[in-house]
Amino acid sequence: MTQSKEHGSYVSGGGDYERKTRYIPTRITKDGGDGYAVEPGRYRLAVSRACPWAHRTILTRKLLGLEDVLSMAVAGPVHDADSWTFDLDPGGVDPVLGIPRLKDAYDKRPDGYPESGITVPAVVDTATGMVVTNDFEQIVKDMVTQWTEFQREDAPDLWPTELRDEIEEVSHRNYTEVNNGVYRCGFAGSQEAYDAAYDRLFARLDWLEEHLSTRRYLVGERLTLADVRLWPTLVRFDAAYHGHFKCNRSKLTEMPVLWAYARDLWQTWDFGSTVNFEHIKAHYYATHLDINPTGIVPKGPETSGWEVPAGREALS
Ligand SMILES: N[C@@H](CCC(=O)N[C@@H](CS)C(=O)NCC(=O)O)C(=O)O
């Protein structure tokens, strides 16, 4: 087994990419059962604009209107072997946490952290400077169910009780075949593993193309966490996965239903203002030097069609 550049992920003897998915399981809840109660201003969400897992938390925070109660630390797009860093901030230090590297907040944990390493998203307790959780899936679910008191009045219900089973089913398959499927293509260690990952990815994208041809959203007739979880992979597809991860049967722009679906969410729900294509490209092409040894970041593709609608503030 060899370890890839992504922390805690391995290429097995057969060449398959296997993602380590052990997280810090602590939760931030209404009753503070794990020692961390929901509290405005207390926590800081550490993200990278490049990372699709972090993007899901950024979108959920924005849709629910939690920006004022849960602040955000944005790391630079290219991390070193050790950690994401706050190199975009003045002096290279996050202004609230006062640290240059996200690792500093992970290292504050007395019991350490899982071998999957220093990942984003991570929620940091500003009182102690310590990472509370890095479980992206639980973070978004808790934003929906635990932060209710602080959500904006017209916040959409992204995880309706009656649709949860279907959301889980669709999202799980999207995760294994698409969200993680692109990584399984990109980090495959053998031709066979790559071929199999590629076939699985495009089989699922074809299924989605068909599925969305008769409905606007993935589950039910409303925006849900299923859409929030798929979309960050779609928006990165042509800029990163098509080239860098060799997912090149078709571009997103060549899958008409998915392309329309992606642009609908970009505009209708203003997902577009959370996207930074420069960070996305810089991260993938310049961080994974094992699969792109020159670190050269491509100039393309053109991102016309993805414009932020006039009058909307970018990067909220
Ligand atoms: N590991 C999580 C998602 C978080 C994650 O992998 N984030 C990446 C960025 S997209 C990261 O922080 N990588 C840091 C590293 O591998 O060193 C998962 O498997 O669902």
Side-chain angles (χ1 to χ4, degrees), residues 5-7 19-21 23 51-53 79-80 84 116 118-121 136 175 183 283-284:
K5 193 82 173 85
E6 288 269 308
H7 274 122
R19 180 180 286 278
K20 285 269 185 287
T21 49
Y23 302 104
C51 172
W53 318 100
H79 63 73
D80 57 31
W84 293 95
S116 40
I118 315 301
T119 55
V120 288
F136 91 88
Y175 176 90
Y183 285 82
H283 169 70
Y284 282 97

Side-chain angles (χ1 to χ4, degrees), residues 24-29 31-37 42-43 132-133 138 142:
I24 301 167
T26 315
R27 291 179 57 196
I28 298 166
T29 53
D31 66 9
D34 288 351
Y36 295 94
R42 174 169 170 188
Y43 303 100
V132 177
T133 176
Q138 194 63 52
D142 286 341

Side-chain angles (χ1 to χ4, degrees), residues 212-233:
L212 288 166
S213 64
T214 52
R215 70 199 84 210
R216 187 171 183 184
Y217 298 108
L218 281 175
V219 175
E221 288 172 16
R222 59 201 296 176
L223 183 76
T224 68
L225 286 183
D227 303 294
V228 170
R229 291 179 60 171
L230 176 63
W231 196 84
T233 299

